[in-house]
Every structure is written in structure tokens, then in C-alpha cells.
Amino acid sequence: MRQKIVIANIKMNLSVPENSVLFEKYKKEIASERTEVVVCPSYLDIYSAEGIFKGTKIKVGSQDIFYEEEGRYTGEISPDQLKGFAEYSIVGHSERRSNFGETDKIVAKKAAAAARHGIVPIICVGENLHEKMDGLTKLVVTGQTEASLSELTAKEVAESVIAYEPIWAIGTGHTCDPGTANEVVRNIRNLIKVLFGEKTAEKVHIIYGGSIDEKNIKGFAKEKEIDGYLVGTASLNHTAFAKIVDTVDKGSVGKITRKVSKPKSKTKTKKKTTKKKK
Ligand code: PGA
């Protein structure tokens, strides 16, 4: 039985003090027994979020990650810098794909970089409205998933999270029909089985995102294939987010089995001061 996961994607919505207020409320109101709860604030808030949630079951994630270790990459944050603060990282969110030109190839490199540093990648895939209208959902999602996982081993895929997020449902208030979302999730799992084998397909977490709120979550929570939710707008409201977690948690059955391996290779043991900067 896979553990359910509910992830808050705060995006670029709140100031630093506003984030702290929200997270203190999360801390008081979220009481999950079995569900993994992950909060993804902006980079600026990761450090304080880590402090606020210390000693609780709530985990911190980042909204993005870069694939290089270090160097002349102005504005980027490496997996090595994030490690220790973020246990998860969203990669390939459709807003990054469309606003910042992130290709499947970049997404694949980011997912692999995260996984190799012991950070769980939350790999986003999903079709746009035209693709949906043209009946291309399966084709688009299959292509994106295969390409975005291309640099991961079967073991790394097993420990990853794949988020099916139809672009037309993100931030629009129009969710995907739960049955349809369940079907897409099932198709993704079948694809993983073909690409990486049955054991990997059984372990990988495949979640849904797109206008999830405290009301429509009840319909989704009944669907068997969906392992959790990526929540944007509703995560800005602590009461709504706590209710979403509660609904998912009450519907959860079975033992918590989710475990992530620590990275094997030691990264960056050498002293930086001895290195000549280019
Ligand atoms: P939404 O955002 O819940 O506002 O649709 C979800 C997401 O973008 O991850």
C-alpha cells in the first residue's frame, strides 16, 4: 500500500512574514496520521519553513532545483545547497515549462540531480487545453513522462513522485473529472511498468494536481489509483489545506511504507577554498 502525499505549492504568492504566519497555522491545524504532508515555499522561505516544521511530520520541499553542483549559474540553487533543507523538489511544473522554456530534457536532468542528492523529485506532466480537446492527453502525458524520467534509474523512479497536472485545470477552478484523472494516473503507472518493471510501477507515487480544494477533494479521495495531490491556490488558505489533508488522511488505509534511500556517493567533501574560480 502506497502512502498518500499532499503537497502545498505556495508558488510566488506570499511575502516572507505571510509565509511564516501561514506555516505556523499549518503546524497547529494539520494533524495527519498516515499522510505525508509536504510544503513547497519559495527559496527565500525554505530555511525558515524548515525551522518552523522541525519536530513535526510536515516536510519541506522546493518549487524547483538546478542540476549543476556549483559554479557560475547566477540565480540558481543547486541540489547540494538544498540538501538538508528540502526533502522534495517540484521539477517541470507547467509554469516553469511555459514561462521559462524548460524542456523535457532539462526536467530529466533536474529530476536526476534531485534524486542523486536524496531529494525526492515531484515530476510534473500534463496536457494543455488544445491537446485535451484534440484527444491527445494520453499521447502527450506518455511522451512527457517517458522523456522526463529518461535520466533516472528504476530505483530512483520507484522513489519519485509523478504529478499529473492538466494545464487547463491549474489555477482555473476547473478540475479534471476524478474518474478521468484516475484513468490518466493508471495509464502512467502502466507506462512505468513497461519502462521500468512491475516493482517500480507498484512503488512510484502518482498524484493529481489542478484546482483541488476542500470541497472537490472528497470526489478525488474515492479514486483508487491517485496517491495524493499537488495543491496550489487552496494551500494559501490554512483551513482549506488542513481539510484537504484531513479528507485524504481519513481515506487512507494500510501502513506507511514510503522510504527514500540516502544518496550513496558523498558529494563535495573537498574544501571549496582550495579551488580556483574560473
Ligand atoms: P492549483 O495549482 O491548485 O491552483 O490549480 C496546482 C499547481 O499548480 O500545482
Side-chain angles (χ1 to χ4, degrees), residues 6 29 49 57 123 131 148 187 237 251:
V6 179
E29 293 172 25
K57 286 200 220 156
I123 303 152
E131 291 160 342
S148 304
N187 288 338
N237 177 329

Side-chain angles (χ1 to χ4, degrees), residues 9 11 93 95 165 169-171 210-212 230-233:
N9 180 7
K11 307 194 183 183
H93 190 282
E95 286 154 14
E165 292 212 301
I170 297 176
S211 293
I212 284 290
L230 182 51
V231 184
T233 311

Side-chain angles (χ1 to χ4, degrees), residues 19-30:
N19 261 303
S20 296
V21 170
L22 179 71
F23 296 163
E24 289 293 352
K25 288 187 173 151
Y26 273 10
K27 199 162 109 172
K28 279 200 197 110
E29 293 172 25
I30 293 172

Side-chain angles (χ1 to χ4, degrees), residues 4-270:
K4 299 276 190 232
I5 306 181
V6 179
I7 304 163
N9 180 7
I10 307 294
K11 307 194 183 183
M12 200 181 70
N13 280 311
L14 301 177
S15 67
V16 172
E18 284 168 344
N19 261 303
S20 296
V21 170
L22 179 71
F23 296 163
E24 289 293 352
K25 288 187 173 151
Y26 273 10
K27 199 162 109 172
K28 279 200 197 110
E29 293 172 25
I30 293 172
S32 84
E33 289 283 321
R34 303 170 186 274
T35 306
E36 175 99 315
V37 178
V38 183
V39 178
C40 301
S42 75
Y43 283 135
L44 206 54
D45 294 292
I46 284 188
Y47 183 75
S48 66
E50 205 262 335
I52 292 171
F53 296 128
K54 217 181 198 95
T56 74
K57 286 200 220 156
I58 300 174
K59 306 272 168 68
V60 176
S62 63
Q63 295 174 18
D64 189 27
I65 193 164
F66 193 49
Y67 47 79
E68 294 290 352
E69 287 279 317
E70 62 178 11
R72 294 174 296 156
Y73 299 102
T74 304
E76 290 296 344
I77 309 273
S78 76
D80 207 51
Q81 289 172 314
L82 274 175
K83 197 174 63 184
F85 298 104
E87 292 183 52
Y88 287 78
S89 181
I90 299 172
V91 294
H93 190 282
S94 63
E95 286 154 14
R96 294 216 54 92
R97 290 178 187 259
S98 63
N99 295 328
F100 304 100
E102 285 195 7
T103 59
D104 286 334
K105 201 162 186 257
I106 294 174
V107 176
K109 282 167 86 169
K110 289 186 170 188
R116 266 144 232 176
H117 285 80
I119 297 171
V120 179
I122 303 159
I123 303 152
C124 301
V125 295
E127 83 285 4
N128 64 30
L129 189 58
H130 290 296
E131 291 160 342
K132 172 188 151 66
M133 301 297 253
D134 291 343
L136 297 174
T137 300
K138 190 170 179 187
L139 193 76
V140 170
V141 170
T142 299
Q144 274 182 12
T145 308
E146 187 167 356
S148 304
L149 301 180
S150 62
E151 300 212 10
L152 294 175
T153 63
K155 189 168 180 289
E156 287 164 349
V157 172
E159 293 179 347
S160 299
V161 178
I162 299 170
Y164 168 54
E165 292 212 301
I167 298 168
W168 50 268
I170 297 176
T172 58
H174 304 296
T175 72
C176 186
D177 162 66
T180 308
N182 196 58
E183 194 56 37
V184 178
V185 167
R186 181 183 290 122
N187 288 338
I188 297 174
R189 196 171 306 283
N190 286 339
L191 174 71
I192 305 292
K193 200 190 280 180
V194 173
L195 295 173
F196 298 96
E198 192 149 0
K199 276 197 185 141
T200 303
E202 270 167 27
K203 282 192 186 152
V204 62
H205 282 68
I206 311 176
I207 65 173
Y208 167 82
S211 293
I212 284 290
D213 63 26
E214 72 282 19
K215 293 189 194 95
N216 61 34
I217 188 64
K218 289 191 196 103
F220 280 91
K222 288 186 193 125
E223 298 295 345
K224 298 271 182 294
E225 297 287 335
I226 304 173
D227 296 326
Y229 304 91
L230 182 51
V231 184
T233 311
S235 70
L236 302 175
N237 177 329
H238 53 94
T239 314
F241 189 67
K243 269 192 192 155
I244 292 168
V245 173
D246 193 50
T247 306
V248 173
D249 205 48
K250 283 191 175 129
S252 291
V253 286
K255 276 195 275 172
I256 292 176
T257 56
R258 186 165 173 71
K259 273 201 188 94
V260 175
S261 352
K262 291 274 169 263
K264 276 200 194 101
S265 59
K266 273 194 213 147
T267 52
K268 300 257 257 26
T269 45
K270 58 187 169 7

